[in-house]
Amino acid sequence: MSRIQLLDEHTANQIAAGEVVERPVSIVKELVENSIDAESRNIEVEIMDGGIRYIRVTDDGSGMDRSDAENCLLRHATSKIRSADDLHSLVSLGFRGEALPSIAAVAKFSVTTRVVDNEIGTYVRVEGGQLQDLREAGCAVGTTVTVEELFYNVPARLKFLKTPSSEGSHINDALCKLALAYPEVSFRLIHNGRLVLSTPGNADLKETISHIYGHKVLPELLPIEYRDEERGIAIEGYLSKPTLLKGSRHWQSYIINRRVISNRSIAKALDNAYHSLLPKSGYPLAVLRLTVPAETVDVNVHPQKSEVKFSDEQLIFRAVYKAVGQSLSITPSGGAQQLATSLDSVISDRVRSDVGEMGRTNVFPSLFQRPDYAPRNPSFLPTLQENKAAFNTGELRAALQQQDEMIFTGERAAAEPEPEPKESTHEGREAFSEERIFDNANEALALYPLGQIDDCYIIATDTKSMYLIDQHAAHERILYDKLCSHAERIPAQQLLMPVYADLSEREIDIISRESALFIELGFSIEAMGPSVVRISEVPGDLGVDEVELMLREILGAFLSYHQPTAAELRHHALQIASCRGAIKAGLRLNMRQMQALLDELCLTSRPYACPHGRPCMLRFTPEQIDKLFKRT
């Protein structure tokens, strides 16, 4: 007797169903995608016990006539494609023709449907893959599919399902992502008789996001819009500021040609674009809707169609990275306490460069050696609105020099009356130096130190709120911004004794191939043999004992699964250099040094976080302090 036997159709159908129907959410996803392909504008999903006991999907789409209602239950019967060539230009979500027969093979399945041209509809009922009923029925235009007692005939699969609440949560998540992909479609989810999801279906993506994640997320959203006409790539959607984080990627949705997918390369590009803005344990909200040429993406990878392959994955990675980076640079991120704002809308590049040439960006190191340093007199501060028109380059330079003499040499006459803000010759300087951090009222915030805790944290105030500042993270941010201000090569230092490092042949090949980039990063490296290199120059403030470690970390980025860009490597190198050169926890500072640190921190682009994403400062408002003392 032959050992190889042909399985009967019923057994084969149950095995095939396991590829498509993994759990209730698989059924809901397949049925809702069919409704979307039928051009539905209103889709309602009702489930009971997480979809294990009952699922109903009702739409107002094109529906089916009697013959289509019969044929839809045949395996590999589909209206979406005609040949394999159609897979290269798919515009529909479904195309395999496996969903309905697979569902019908492991549950009690029924469909009621009608097309607009027919006065009467069709009802079909199938149990365990066997046809039970086929007749005419009265119904509205569209389709209603019900699935009852999932896996009733496959108890081994049933016992692997999670709790009803867990299965229901997966269904809710899947519908949310489909709603983000199709904001013009209204979705409703009813679980155990309770409405848990409702979207407007008005094609407004931002409003759809608010219905899914709540209205409180709206002020935290940044729009993203990117076009690459040459390669046919377009990216749109929304990102959250670093103030809105989750502990997982639960709030991140990636949509390719209106198909919800999961993709490691896109997730990695998103993480890299945020780089220093986020702590290591946080993930921003992101809704990325990508449009790419259909022939460059393969959706026929897995029966559940949640994974795709790109013909050029690096192209997609770079596009997402650039799009997210542009979106984050246009609007200030706000930070952990929404303290940051951009100076670019008020101060011209020419004024900023003039100030930089005069050494204002390098005040902090020199102030540590100046015993006569005193904080700026708050009475010098004109209002922001009064100073917006005061940026004349020559007047600003003179004002800076004059006020430096008064503040640092103490030559200001004690009896001299304070000038009125509108008549002050220091308007330009104070507008620049104090327009750095804004609260929600758009008022300039100047921080003044009160003391130090554990030789690590600085207590400061703006006379309205209290702040805790991590001195190491703050100085790290200051140094990082100063290093970033060097448009060309990172400042380097010559080593008295070169450092020799043993590297692999592949690592040496990378150094040889990218020699210009390593020079830009502050390294001077020569190959001294098949596995040894000599390092004679390294980025400034980098300790000799950390040279090899930093080099290996940069090489590790090259050896990762994606090819790092020059900007990524530069950022990585600056992170390490600024961290090594910053003052450490445990260093006691006097009041002058603390004031200098705060002044320089407030002048940075993102004073709320260090380059690694850790917070630099925490804000405590009077209301928060009142709660701590139970005064409210």
Side-chain angles (χ1 to χ4, degrees), residues 170-192:
H170 286 295
I171 292 174
N172 185 35
D173 292 344
L175 283 180
C176 287
K177 292 185 181 298
L178 285 170
L180 296 173
Y182 293 86
E184 72 276 13
V185 179
S186 174
F187 292 86
R188 282 167 53 90
L189 174 61
I190 302 171
H191 190 187
N192 292 337

PDB file of all heavy atoms in Angstrom, residues 170-192:
ATOM      1  N   HIS A 170      -7.385  42.909  19.804  1.00  0.00           N
ATOM      2  CA  HIS A 170      -6.707  42.758  18.510  1.00  0.00           C
ATOM      3  C   HIS A 170      -7.612  43.216  17.370  1.00  0.00           C
ATOM      4  O   HIS A 170      -7.144  43.846  16.409  1.00  0.00           O
ATOM      5  CB  HIS A 170      -6.295  41.300  18.306  1.00  0.00           C
ATOM      6  CG  HIS A 170      -5.118  40.875  19.133  1.00  0.00           C
ATOM      7  ND1 HIS A 170      -3.858  41.407  18.972  1.00  0.00           N
ATOM      8  CD2 HIS A 170      -5.007  39.968  20.135  1.00  0.00           C
ATOM      9  CE1 HIS A 170      -3.017  40.854  19.827  1.00  0.00           C
ATOM     10  NE2 HIS A 170      -3.693  39.973  20.548  1.00  0.00           N
ATOM     11  N   ILE A 171      -8.890  42.898  17.459  1.00  0.00           N
ATOM     12  CA  ILE A 171      -9.827  43.325  16.423  1.00  0.00           C
ATOM     13  C   ILE A 171      -9.938  44.845  16.402  1.00  0.00           C
ATOM     14  O   ILE A 171      -9.956  45.480  15.334  1.00  0.00           O
ATOM     15  CB  ILE A 171     -11.204  42.670  16.649  1.00  0.00           C
ATOM     16  CG1 ILE A 171     -11.109  41.166  16.403  1.00  0.00           C
ATOM     17  CG2 ILE A 171     -12.269  43.295  15.747  1.00  0.00           C
ATOM     18  CD1 ILE A 171     -12.374  40.407  16.728  1.00  0.00           C
ATOM     19  N   ASN A 172     -10.017  45.448  17.576  1.00  0.00           N
ATOM     20  CA  ASN A 172     -10.083  46.906  17.667  1.00  0.00           C
ATOM     21  C   ASN A 172      -8.857  47.552  17.033  1.00  0.00           C
ATOM     22  O   ASN A 172      -8.954  48.521  16.267  1.00  0.00           O
ATOM     23  CB  ASN A 172     -10.216  47.314  19.134  1.00  0.00           C
ATOM     24  CG  ASN A 172     -10.406  48.815  19.303  1.00  0.00           C
ATOM     25  OD1 ASN A 172     -11.047  49.459  18.490  1.00  0.00           O
ATOM     26  ND2 ASN A 172      -9.843  49.362  20.359  1.00  0.00           N
ATOM     27  N   ASP A 173      -7.664  47.014  17.319  1.00  0.00           N
ATOM     28  CA  ASP A 173      -6.428  47.557  16.751  1.00  0.00           C
ATOM     29  C   ASP A 173      -6.428  47.452  15.231  1.00  0.00           C
ATOM     30  O   ASP A 173      -6.016  48.388  14.530  1.00  0.00           O
ATOM     31  CB  ASP A 173      -5.218  46.814  17.320  1.00  0.00           C
ATOM     32  CG  ASP A 173      -5.010  47.080  18.797  1.00  0.00           C
ATOM     33  OD1 ASP A 173      -5.596  48.053  19.304  1.00  0.00           O
ATOM     34  OD2 ASP A 173      -4.283  46.299  19.443  1.00  0.00           O
ATOM     35  N   ALA A 174      -6.881  46.300  14.706  1.00  0.00           N
ATOM     36  CA  ALA A 174      -6.888  46.113  13.259  1.00  0.00           C
ATOM     37  C   ALA A 174      -7.829  47.097  12.583  1.00  0.00           C
ATOM     38  O   ALA A 174      -7.495  47.680  11.532  1.00  0.00           O
ATOM     39  CB  ALA A 174      -7.289  44.676  12.924  1.00  0.00           C
ATOM     40  N   LEU A 175      -9.006  47.321  13.159  1.00  0.00           N
ATOM     41  CA  LEU A 175      -9.951  48.269  12.578  1.00  0.00           C
ATOM     42  C   LEU A 175      -9.425  49.698  12.655  1.00  0.00           C
ATOM     43  O   LEU A 175      -9.653  50.507  11.746  1.00  0.00           O
ATOM     44  CB  LEU A 175     -11.304  48.159  13.278  1.00  0.00           C
ATOM     45  CG  LEU A 175     -12.174  46.965  12.877  1.00  0.00           C
ATOM     46  CD1 LEU A 175     -13.485  46.985  13.644  1.00  0.00           C
ATOM     47  CD2 LEU A 175     -12.459  46.967  11.383  1.00  0.00           C
ATOM     48  N   CYS A 176      -8.737  50.032  13.730  1.00  0.00           N
ATOM     49  CA  CYS A 176      -8.158  51.373  13.858  1.00  0.00           C
ATOM     50  C   CYS A 176      -7.165  51.644  12.729  1.00  0.00           C
ATOM     51  O   CYS A 176      -7.153  52.723  12.128  1.00  0.00           O
ATOM     52  CB  CYS A 176      -7.477  51.527  15.215  1.00  0.00           C
ATOM     53  SG  CYS A 176      -8.615  51.663  16.606  1.00  0.00           S
ATOM     54  N   LYS A 177      -6.316  50.674  12.439  1.00  0.00           N
ATOM     55  CA  LYS A 177      -5.322  50.867  11.390  1.00  0.00           C
ATOM     56  C   LYS A 177      -5.978  50.943  10.010  1.00  0.00           C
ATOM     57  O   LYS A 177      -5.548  51.724   9.149  1.00  0.00           O
ATOM     58  CB  LYS A 177      -4.285  49.739  11.446  1.00  0.00           C
ATOM     59  CG  LYS A 177      -3.419  49.799  12.702  1.00  0.00           C
ATOM     60  CD  LYS A 177      -2.334  48.762  12.700  1.00  0.00           C
ATOM     61  CE  LYS A 177      -1.496  48.829  13.977  1.00  0.00           C
ATOM     62  NZ  LYS A 177      -0.801  50.123  14.135  1.00  0.00           N
ATOM     63  N   LEU A 178      -7.029  50.157   9.795  1.00  0.00           N
ATOM     64  CA  LEU A 178      -7.743  50.250   8.524  1.00  0.00           C
ATOM     65  C   LEU A 178      -8.439  51.606   8.395  1.00  0.00           C
ATOM     66  O   LEU A 178      -8.517  52.171   7.297  1.00  0.00           O
ATOM     67  CB  LEU A 178      -8.761  49.113   8.413  1.00  0.00           C
ATOM     68  CG  LEU A 178      -8.174  47.733   8.100  1.00  0.00           C
ATOM     69  CD1 LEU A 178      -9.231  46.652   8.260  1.00  0.00           C
ATOM     70  CD2 LEU A 178      -7.593  47.704   6.685  1.00  0.00           C
ATOM     71  N   ALA A 179      -8.951  52.124   9.495  1.00  0.00           N
ATOM     72  CA  ALA A 179      -9.584  53.445   9.467  1.00  0.00           C
ATOM     73  C   ALA A 179      -8.572  54.525   9.130  1.00  0.00           C
ATOM     74  O   ALA A 179      -8.899  55.514   8.445  1.00  0.00           O
ATOM     75  CB  ALA A 179     -10.249  53.734  10.809  1.00  0.00           C
ATOM     76  N   LEU A 180      -7.323  54.375   9.599  1.00  0.00           N
ATOM     77  CA  LEU A 180      -6.281  55.351   9.264  1.00  0.00           C
ATOM     78  C   LEU A 180      -5.874  55.246   7.799  1.00  0.00           C
ATOM     79  O   LEU A 180      -5.472  56.236   7.185  1.00  0.00           O
ATOM     80  CB  LEU A 180      -5.066  55.134  10.170  1.00  0.00           C
ATOM     81  CG  LEU A 180      -5.293  55.383  11.663  1.00  0.00           C
ATOM     82  CD1 LEU A 180      -4.073  54.963  12.473  1.00  0.00           C
ATOM     83  CD2 LEU A 180      -5.629  56.837  11.928  1.00  0.00           C
ATOM     84  N   ALA A 181      -5.975  54.044   7.234  1.00  0.00           N
ATOM     85  CA  ALA A 181      -5.652  53.867   5.821  1.00  0.00           C
ATOM     86  C   ALA A 181      -6.778  54.366   4.925  1.00  0.00           C
ATOM     87  O   ALA A 181      -6.528  54.804   3.795  1.00  0.00           O
ATOM     88  CB  ALA A 181      -5.363  52.394   5.526  1.00  0.00           C
ATOM     89  N   TYR A 182      -8.017  54.344   5.438  1.00  0.00           N
ATOM     90  CA  TYR A 182      -9.185  54.747   4.658  1.00  0.00           C
ATOM     91  C   TYR A 182     -10.047  55.704   5.479  1.00  0.00           C
ATOM     92  O   TYR A 182     -11.131  55.350   5.939  1.00  0.00           O
ATOM     93  CB  TYR A 182      -9.997  53.518   4.233  1.00  0.00           C
ATOM     94  CG  TYR A 182      -9.274  52.634   3.256  1.00  0.00           C
ATOM     95  CD1 TYR A 182      -8.402  51.644   3.704  1.00  0.00           C
ATOM     96  CD2 TYR A 182      -9.431  52.811   1.891  1.00  0.00           C
ATOM     97  CE1 TYR A 182      -7.717  50.848   2.804  1.00  0.00           C
ATOM     98  CE2 TYR A 182      -8.746  52.013   0.980  1.00  0.00           C
ATOM     99  CZ  TYR A 182      -7.890  51.036   1.441  1.00  0.00           C
ATOM    100  OH  TYR A 182      -7.207  50.254   0.543  1.00  0.00           O
ATOM    101  N   PRO A 183      -9.578  56.927   5.685  1.00  0.00           N
ATOM    102  CA  PRO A 183     -10.359  57.877   6.497  1.00  0.00           C
ATOM    103  C   PRO A 183     -11.676  58.288   5.850  1.00  0.00           C
ATOM    104  O   PRO A 183     -12.540  58.839   6.534  1.00  0.00           O
ATOM    105  CB  PRO A 183      -9.407  59.074   6.641  1.00  0.00           C
ATOM    106  CG  PRO A 183      -8.474  58.972   5.479  1.00  0.00           C
ATOM    107  CD  PRO A 183      -8.309  57.510   5.225  1.00  0.00           C
ATOM    108  N   GLU A 184     -11.844  58.025   4.553  1.00  0.00           N
ATOM    109  CA  GLU A 184     -13.107  58.364   3.893  1.00  0.00           C
ATOM    110  C   GLU A 184     -14.193  57.317   4.154  1.00  0.00           C
ATOM    111  O   GLU A 184     -15.356  57.508   3.748  1.00  0.00           O
ATOM    112  CB  GLU A 184     -12.887  58.514   2.386  1.00  0.00           C
ATOM    113  CG  GLU A 184     -12.639  57.222   1.636  1.00  0.00           C
ATOM    114  CD  GLU A 184     -11.188  56.776   1.669  1.00  0.00           C
ATOM    115  OE1 GLU A 184     -10.420  57.330   2.477  1.00  0.00           O
ATOM    116  OE2 GLU A 184     -10.819  55.879   0.886  1.00  0.00           O
ATOM    117  N   VAL A 185     -13.854  56.216   4.815  1.00  0.00           N
ATOM    118  CA  VAL A 185     -14.805  55.164   5.152  1.00  0.00           C
ATOM    119  C   VAL A 185     -15.148  55.267   6.634  1.00  0.00           C
ATOM    120  O   VAL A 185     -14.255  55.417   7.481  1.00  0.00           O
ATOM    121  CB  VAL A 185     -14.229  53.769   4.836  1.00  0.00           C
ATOM    122  CG1 VAL A 185     -15.228  52.680   5.217  1.00  0.00           C
ATOM    123  CG2 VAL A 185     -13.860  53.660   3.359  1.00  0.00           C
ATOM    124  N   SER A 186     -16.428  55.174   6.961  1.00  0.00           N
ATOM    125  CA  SER A 186     -16.874  55.214   8.352  1.00  0.00           C
ATOM    126  C   SER A 186     -16.861  53.798   8.925  1.00  0.00           C
ATOM    127  O   SER A 186     -17.482  52.887   8.360  1.00  0.00           O
ATOM    128  CB  SER A 186     -18.282  55.805   8.439  1.00  0.00           C
ATOM    129  OG  SER A 186     -18.775  55.721   9.761  1.00  0.00           O
ATOM    130  N   PHE A 187     -16.155  53.613  10.034  1.00  0.00           N
ATOM    131  CA  PHE A 187     -16.058  52.307  10.697  1.00  0.00           C
ATOM    132  C   PHE A 187     -16.760  52.362  12.050  1.00  0.00           C
ATOM    133  O   PHE A 187     -16.625  53.351  12.783  1.00  0.00           O
ATOM    134  CB  PHE A 187     -14.596  51.909  10.907  1.00  0.00           C
ATOM    135  CG  PHE A 187     -13.844  51.608   9.638  1.00  0.00           C
ATOM    136  CD1 PHE A 187     -13.239  52.619   8.906  1.00  0.00           C
ATOM    137  CD2 PHE A 187     -13.733  50.307   9.171  1.00  0.00           C
ATOM    138  CE1 PHE A 187     -12.544  52.357   7.743  1.00  0.00           C
ATOM    139  CE2 PHE A 187     -13.038  50.023   8.000  1.00  0.00           C
ATOM    140  CZ  PHE A 187     -12.444  51.055   7.286  1.00  0.00           C
ATOM    141  N   ARG A 188     -17.465  51.292  12.365  1.00  0.00           N
ATOM    142  CA  ARG A 188     -18.098  51.146  13.682  1.00  0.00           C
ATOM    143  C   ARG A 188     -17.788  49.750  14.199  1.00  0.00           C
ATOM    144  O   ARG A 188     -17.897  48.764  13.456  1.00  0.00           O
ATOM    145  CB  ARG A 188     -19.614  51.328  13.595  1.00  0.00           C
ATOM    146  CG  ARG A 188     -20.072  52.771  13.494  1.00  0.00           C
ATOM    147  CD  ARG A 188     -21.536  52.858  13.105  1.00  0.00           C
ATOM    148  NE  ARG A 188     -22.371  52.052  13.982  1.00  0.00           N
ATOM    149  CZ  ARG A 188     -22.930  52.488  15.116  1.00  0.00           C
ATOM    150  NH1 ARG A 188     -22.713  53.750  15.495  1.00  0.00           N
ATOM    151  NH2 ARG A 188     -23.695  51.703  15.839  1.00  0.00           N
ATOM    152  N   LEU A 189     -17.413  49.660  15.466  1.00  0.00           N
ATOM    153  CA  LEU A 189     -17.156  48.368  16.112  1.00  0.00           C
ATOM    154  C   LEU A 189     -18.018  48.262  17.356  1.00  0.00           C
ATOM    155  O   LEU A 189     -17.962  49.139  18.228  1.00  0.00           O
ATOM    156  CB  LEU A 189     -15.678  48.223  16.474  1.00  0.00           C
ATOM    157  CG  LEU A 189     -15.309  46.964  17.295  1.00  0.00           C
ATOM    158  CD1 LEU A 189     -15.637  45.694  16.513  1.00  0.00           C
ATOM    159  CD2 LEU A 189     -13.839  46.985  17.699  1.00  0.00           C
ATOM    160  N   ILE A 190     -18.796  47.205  17.425  1.00  0.00           N
ATOM    161  CA  ILE A 190     -19.670  46.939  18.577  1.00  0.00           C
ATOM    162  C   ILE A 190     -19.206  45.636  19.210  1.00  0.00           C
ATOM    163  O   ILE A 190     -19.160  44.590  18.536  1.00  0.00           O
ATOM    164  CB  ILE A 190     -21.148  46.830  18.144  1.00  0.00           C
ATOM    165  CG1 ILE A 190     -21.587  48.122  17.443  1.00  0.00           C
ATOM    166  CG2 ILE A 190     -22.040  46.539  19.338  1.00  0.00           C
ATOM    167  CD1 ILE A 190     -22.946  48.024  16.792  1.00  0.00           C
ATOM    168  N   HIS A 191     -18.850  45.686  20.489  1.00  0.00           N
ATOM    169  CA  HIS A 191     -18.380  44.497  21.205  1.00  0.00           C
ATOM    170  C   HIS A 191     -19.309  44.216  22.382  1.00  0.00           C
ATOM    171  O   HIS A 191     -19.448  45.050  23.275  1.00  0.00           O
ATOM    172  CB  HIS A 191     -16.954  44.705  21.713  1.00  0.00           C
ATOM    173  CG  HIS A 191     -16.325  43.450  22.234  1.00  0.00           C
ATOM    174  ND1 HIS A 191     -15.097  43.433  22.860  1.00  0.00           N
ATOM    175  CD2 HIS A 191     -16.747  42.153  22.223  1.00  0.00           C
ATOM    176  CE1 HIS A 191     -14.792  42.197  23.213  1.00  0.00           C
ATOM    177  NE2 HIS A 191     -15.786  41.403  22.842  1.00  0.00           N
ATOM    178  N   ASN A 192     -19.939  43.053  22.335  1.00  0.00           N
ATOM    179  CA  ASN A 192     -20.897  42.656  23.380  1.00  0.00           C
ATOM    180  C   ASN A 192     -21.966  43.727  23.602  1.00  0.00           C
ATOM    181  O   ASN A 192     -22.320  44.058  24.736  1.00  0.00           O
ATOM    182  CB  ASN A 192     -20.171  42.350  24.692  1.00  0.00           C
ATOM    183  CG  ASN A 192     -19.309  41.104  24.601  1.00  0.00           C
ATOM    184  OD1 ASN A 192     -19.539  40.233  23.763  1.00  0.00           O
ATOM    185  ND2 ASN A 192     -18.311  41.009  25.466  1.00  0.00           N
TER     186      ASN A 192
END
